[in-house]
Amino acid sequence: MTAVAASPTRLVWRRLLRHRLAQASLVFIAVLLVLSLAAPWIASLRGVDPATTDLLRRLEPPSAQNWLGTDDLGRDLFQRLLDGGRVSLLVGFAGAMLSAVLGAIIGVVSGYTGGRFDSVMMRITDGVIALPLLPLLIVLAAIDPKKIGIPVEIAQSETFSLYRIVVIVALTGWTTAARLVRAETLSLKQRDFTRAARALGARPVRIMFRHILPNAAGSLVVATTMSAGTLILLESTLSFLGLGTQPPAASWGNMLTGAQELLQSAPMQAVWPGLLIFLTVIAFNFLGDGLQDALDPRSERRT
C-alpha cells in the first residue's frame, strides 16, 4: 500500500512541533490569553475586586488572599496583572490584524497594478518607515479627540481609549506587511496559474484576492505574529508615558508608571509587569521564527 501524503496543514503543524522554543511560546501565549480573558471569573472565585482600593492594605506581601501582594493603593496585584494582560494582548492581536489587513490590501493592489500607482504607494510606504516611530505615536496619541469632533462621553470612555491605541499602532505598523505582500505579488503574478486565470477572463480583483493573496499568506502570517509583540511593546510605552490606557483601567505600561517611585521600597511592583512585557514580546518573536520555519517547505528535515 502506498502511504497517504500528509495534508499541508499537518505538515506545517509537524514542522512547528519540532521548534521547541515556538512550542513553549505558543503554550505561554495561550495560557496568558486564557487567564487574561478569564480574569473577571477568577476574581469572582477568589472574592477579590481589583478595582477596589484599600489604603490600609497597601504594599502587602504575597499571601493566601493576595497571591502577589497588593499595590500602592491596596489592590490585588495578581488580578491587576491579568486585567493589564487583557488590554495589552487585545492591542497586540487587534493592532497586528488591522495592520496585516491594511498592509495586505495595499501590497497586493500596488504589486499587481504596478506603474505609477505602485511607485506612489511605495514612496508613501518609505515615507512612513522613515518617520521616527515613537515620536510619531506620541504626537498621534496626544491629539485631543474632543477637538476633532468626537463627543465628550465617547472620548472619555475606557473603550475609546483602547480602540484609539489599536488604530494608532495599526496606522504606523502596516508598512512591513505591505512590502512583503507586494514582493510576493510581483513574483506570483508572473506564475502560470495567474496567467491562466487572466486568460480565462478573471477580473483583477478576483485574481488578487482569490489567487495571489492566499499564496502570500505564509509571509503575512509570520510578519503579523512578530508585529504583535512589537505592538504590545509600543502600547506599554505609550501607557508608561501616560498617553495610552488611562487609570483606573490597568495595563502593563501604566502599572510600570505607578511603580516608578516604588523601585526601592517595593521593586516587585515594577518587576512583575516588566517581566510579563518582556516574556510576551520574546514569545511572539520565537513563535514567529517557528512559523517561518514551519511555512517554508525547504525547512523539512528528514527523520
Side-chain angles (χ1 to χ4, degrees), residues 86-161:
R86 188 165 64 249
V87 171
S88 297
L89 290 175
L90 176 61
V91 170
F93 282 119
M97 292 299 297
L98 185 56
S99 299
V101 170
L102 291 174
I105 293 174
I106 292 172
V108 71
V109 173
S110 180
Y112 187 82
T113 304
R116 182 171 298 178
F117 179 80
D118 180 42
S119 298
V120 171
M121 292 307 301
M122 287 302 101
R123 299 297 76 76
I124 294 175
T125 303
D126 293 339
V128 175
I129 293 175
L131 292 172
L133 183 57
L134 185 57
L136 176 62
L137 289 174
I138 292 174
V139 170
L140 292 176
I143 295 175
D144 188 355
K146 297 188 291 293
K147 293 184 178 180
I148 58 177
I150 297 176
V152 177
E153 58 275 10
I154 296 178
Q156 293 179 347
S157 65
E158 294 180 6
T159 304
F160 175 79
S161 175

Side-chain angles (χ1 to χ4, degrees), residues 28 256 268 270-281:
F28 174 80
L256 281 175
M268 297 307 295
V271 168
W272 286 117
L275 182 62
L276 284 175
I277 293 171
F278 172 76
L279 292 177
T280 305
V281 174

Side-chain angles (χ1 to χ4, degrees), residues 209-230:
F209 293 97
R210 179 65 180 84
H211 298 283
I212 293 179
L213 197 54
N215 285 281
S219 300
L220 188 61
V221 167
V222 174
T224 303
T225 304
M226 290 188 168
S227 69
T230 303

Side-chain angles (χ1 to χ4, degrees), residues 8-28:
T9 303
R10 187 170 298 177
L11 287 173
V12 169
W13 182 248
R14 188 172 66 188
R15 296 187 196 116
L16 183 62
L17 290 179
R18 292 173 178 168
H19 200 293
R20 300 300 182 188
L21 288 175
Q23 285 185 63
S25 300
L26 183 59
V27 171
F28 174 80

Side-chain angles (χ1 to χ4, degrees), residues 22-300:
Q23 285 185 63
S25 300
L26 183 59
V27 171
F28 174 80
I29 293 170
V31 170
L32 185 61
L33 180 62
V34 170
L35 289 176
S36 298
L37 293 177
W41 291 275
I42 295 175
S44 178
L45 289 174
R46 296 179 58 213
V48 172
D49 185 0
T52 301
T53 61
D54 186 355
L55 297 180
L56 297 178
R57 302 187 59 189
R58 62 189 304 269
L59 300 179
E60 286 189 352
S63 63
Q65 182 178 2
N66 305 112
W67 295 347
L68 296 180
T70 60
D71 64 5
D72 58 328
L73 295 178
R75 298 170 296 191
D76 185 80
L77 184 57
F78 178 78
Q79 291 297 147
R80 296 276 295 172
L81 287 170
L82 293 187
D83 289 342
R86 188 165 64 249
V87 171
S88 297
L89 290 175
L90 176 61
V91 170
F93 282 119
M97 292 299 297
L98 185 56
S99 299
V101 170
L102 291 174
I105 293 174
I106 292 172
V108 71
V109 173
S110 180
Y112 187 82
T113 304
R116 182 171 298 178
F117 179 80
D118 180 42
S119 298
V120 171
M121 292 307 301
M122 287 302 101
R123 299 297 76 76
I124 294 175
T125 303
D126 293 339
V128 175
I129 293 175
L131 292 172
L133 183 57
L134 185 57
L136 176 62
L137 289 174
I138 292 174
V139 170
L140 292 176
I143 295 175
D144 188 355
K146 297 188 291 293
K147 293 184 178 180
I148 58 177
I150 297 176
V152 177
E153 58 275 10
I154 296 178
Q156 293 179 347
S157 65
E158 294 180 6
T159 304
F160 175 79
S161 175
L162 182 60
Y163 289 158
R164 181 179 67 167
I165 296 299
V166 171
V167 172
I168 288 173
V169 297
L171 289 177
T172 57
W174 58 268
T175 54
T176 301
R179 292 172 70 91
L180 284 173
V181 173
R182 174 183 176 270
E184 293 281 354
T185 302
L186 291 175
S187 173
L188 292 170
K189 74 177 184 179
Q190 303 298 331
R191 300 285 182 88
D192 290 340
F193 67 88
T194 307
R195 293 178 179 177
R198 197 158 42 234
L200 291 172
R203 295 183 177 181
V205 173
R206 179 177 176 81
I207 294 174
M208 284 187 287
F209 293 97
R210 179 65 180 84
H211 298 283
I212 293 179
L213 197 54
N215 285 281
S219 300
L220 188 61
V221 167
V222 174
T224 303
T225 304
M226 290 188 168
S227 69
T230 303
L231 296 183
I232 289 174
L233 189 60
L234 289 175
E235 184 277 331
S236 300
T237 303
L238 290 176
S239 295
F240 178 78
L241 296 174
L243 298 172
T245 306
Q246 299 299 317
S251 79
W252 293 336
N254 65 27
M255 291 180 71
L256 281 175
T257 302
Q260 285 185 95
E261 299 178 357
L262 304 171
L263 290 178
Q264 292 185 350
S265 58
M268 297 307 295
Q269 299 289 319
V271 168
W272 286 117
L275 182 62
L276 284 175
I277 293 171
F278 172 76
L279 292 177
T280 305
V281 174
I282 290 295
F284 273 108
N285 288 337
F286 282 144
L287 182 58
D289 288 338
L291 285 173
Q292 186 173 19
D293 292 339
L295 292 169
D296 185 1
R298 293 171 297 182
S299 67
E300 181 70 20

